[in-house]
């Protein structure tokens, strides 16, 4: 069981899902230490609540010291796509270094944010990399919980927010293929609750984190339009044609909006769970409550993670 009042370490407490986890831990009175590549990034937590430490994956001794005294390590570190010096191969090597440091520092529990349907045989490096890390964690000496979210929605969301942004600006929405493939969105707060609950005990386990509702991609686009009070026409194109349009828009907003691999994973139904849903919040209700800010501005992945380092 977790030790009340002991330090909890999070990678990415100033980012998306990590922030929701940090909020729950701070509310519970737990001392939180954040390992980050951006210690100067603006955030909502006072220094007395969340201590920011620069991670150093290339220095095992320093990485181990950053984990000293930690009861639980919540790991949200990963890369959505390869850009600049960041690659899936580098992210895998860095996470393996983090696992070794956690072992050496005597961390009791390793809670890892993965993704639904990872596979060592996947042709998609994102999903194959996630599976490799799950295996590394399972083969470690650590008690672990692997949490596998589907597609996460929340105020800071990029995917659903930017879909809404497109719908606000254009009456036509490009859909790769038939649009009949499935998504099962899960609220960021539900992911945080699943993760923190999993950190509280010692049994090694793997848990899908998915919401209560499943939609086809076509349905999702139409539901977003409905929440915004907009009308939209779906334009079904080949994946290649859709990607070409997305890349043109990406040049205009100076961002990587969606990758070929992400389209392939979406069309392969990898963003749905085959377990009973653990999330409770419904996307339709959330969109109705947040309709005025959903898609009100474009959310840039490159601005969030790469620019201004």
């Amino acid at each position: 069981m977790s030790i009340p009042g002991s330090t909890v370490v999070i990678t990415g407490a100033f980012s998306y899902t990590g922030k929701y986890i940090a909020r729950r831990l701070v509310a519970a009175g737990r001392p939180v230490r954040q390992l980050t590549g951006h210690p100067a990034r603006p955030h909502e937590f006072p220094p007395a609540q969340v201590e920011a430490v620069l991670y150093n994956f290339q220095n095992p001794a320093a990485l181990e010291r950053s984990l000293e005294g930690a009861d639980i390590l919540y790991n949200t570190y990963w890369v959505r796509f390869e850009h600049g010096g960041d690659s899936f191969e580098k992210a895998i090597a860095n996470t393996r270094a983090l696992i070794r440091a956690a072992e050496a520092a005597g961390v009791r529990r390793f809670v890892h944010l993965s993704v639904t349907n990872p596979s060592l045989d996947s042709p998609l490096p994102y999903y194959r990399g996630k599976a490799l890390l799950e295996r590394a964690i399972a083969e470690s000496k650590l008690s672990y919980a692997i949490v596998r979210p589907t597609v996460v929605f929340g105020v800071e969301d990029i995917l659903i927010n930017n879909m809404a942004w497109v719908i606000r600006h254009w009456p036509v929405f490009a859909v790769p293929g038939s649009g009949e493939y499935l998504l099962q969105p899960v609220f960021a707060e539900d992911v945080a609750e699943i993760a923190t609950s999993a950190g509280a005990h010692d049994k090694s386990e793997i848990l899908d984190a998915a919401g209560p509702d499943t939609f086809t991609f076509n349905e999702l686009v139409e539901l977003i339009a409905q929440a915004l009070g907009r009308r939209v026409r779906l334009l079904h194109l080949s994946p290649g044609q859709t990607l070409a349009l997305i890349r043109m828009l990406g040049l205009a907003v100076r961002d990587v909006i969606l990758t070929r691999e992400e389209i392939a994973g979406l069309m392969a139904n990898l963003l749905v769970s085959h377990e009973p849903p653990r999330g409770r919040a419904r996307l339709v209700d959330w969109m109705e409550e947040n309709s005025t800010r959903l898609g009100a501005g474009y959310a840039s992945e490159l601005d969030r993670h790469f620019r201004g380092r």
Side-chain angles (χ1 to χ4, degrees):
M1 301 294 290
S2 61
I3 304 170
S6 59
T7 297
V8 176
V9 175
I10 307 176
T11 63
F14 299 163
S15 58
Y16 187 14
T17 50
K19 177 165 60 179
Y20 283 81
I21 294 171
R23 285 173 180 165
R24 295 183 68 85
L25 294 169
V26 166
R30 299 294 296 272
V32 176
R33 185 183 307 148
Q34 135 92 329
L35 300 188
T36 177
H38 317 283
R41 174 182 286 171
H43 59 88
E44 65 187 65
F45 302 104
Q49 292 181 332
V50 178
E51 173 193 10
V53 177
L54 182 67
Y55 55 58
N56 190 340
F57 293 116
Q58 284 67 50
N59 186 330
L63 193 58
E64 180 183 340
R65 285 195 298 272
S66 70
L67 298 175
E68 286 179 354
D71 176 39
I72 309 171
L73 170 58
Y74 291 92
N75 180 45
T76 70
Y77 166 75
W78 186 240
V79 294
R80 201 188 112 198
F81 49 78
E82 297 189 327
H83 180 80
D86 288 333
S87 66
F88 293 124
E89 183 178 351
K90 182 178 178 181
I92 292 168
N94 287 346
T95 307
R96 284 174 171 161
L98 186 66
I99 294 167
R100 292 191 295 269
E103 290 178 315
V107 172
R108 178 190 63 84
R109 183 78 160 162
F110 193 103
V111 181
H112 177 72
L113 273 288
S114 186
V115 70
T116 44
N117 302 300
S119 171
L120 294 171
D121 300 323
S122 176
L124 305 176
Y126 186 103
Y127 290 87
R128 186 169 64 252
K130 287 287 193 179
L132 286 169
L133 289 181
E134 289 193 9
R135 184 171 69 179
I137 294 166
E139 292 175 349
S140 74
K141 301 174 184 177
L142 299 164
S143 162
Y144 65 86
I146 294 170
V147 179
R148 293 173 167 175
T150 50
V151 55
V152 182
F153 68 88
V155 173
E156 305 83 357
D157 168 58
I158 283 184
L159 176 63
I160 293 175
N161 177 83
N162 288 347
M163 290 173 66
W165 180 80
V166 169
I167 291 168
R168 283 184 182 274
H169 288 81
W170 288 278
V172 177
F173 194 99
V175 176
S178 70
E180 291 303 305
Y181 34 84
L182 303 174
L183 303 90
Q184 193 175 356
V186 59
F187 185 37
E189 181 61 47
D190 284 338
V191 176
E193 181 180 3
I194 293 164
T196 53
S197 296
H201 53 83
D202 295 321
K203 177 185 176 183
S204 291
E205 57 189 348
I206 299 176
L207 307 166
D208 277 8
D213 300 312
T214 301
F215 311 101
T216 68
F217 190 78
N218 291 333
E219 289 171 338
L220 179 59
V221 175
E222 290 168 350
L223 285 169
I224 294 172
Q226 181 178 334
L228 299 177
R230 304 282 174 143
R231 300 187 66 171
V232 65
R233 183 168 69 87
L234 304 185
L235 179 63
H236 294 275
L237 301 173
S238 71
Q241 291 171 323
T242 307
L243 186 62
L245 283 178
I246 289 172
R247 284 176 173 169
M248 289 174 61
L249 181 58
L251 290 174
V253 296
R254 299 178 62 239
D255 192 26
V256 178
I257 297 175
L258 205 62
T259 67
R260 183 184 301 277
E261 179 172 291
E262 288 172 329
I263 291 175
L266 177 62
M267 295 181 70
N269 289 308
L270 297 182
L271 297 180
V272 293
S273 171
H274 302 288
E275 299 178 2
R278 292 182 171 87
R280 293 171 293 183
R282 297 187 179 276
L283 175 63
V284 172
D285 295 339
W286 181 86
M287 289 195 300
E288 183 177 345
E289 294 169 3
N290 294 274
S291 60
T292 57
R293 56 181 172 178
L294 180 62
Y298 178 82
S300 170
E301 182 78 17
L302 293 185
D303 282 349
R304 180 177 295 184
H305 292 291
F306 295 97
R307 296 189 182 111
R309 284 187 175 183

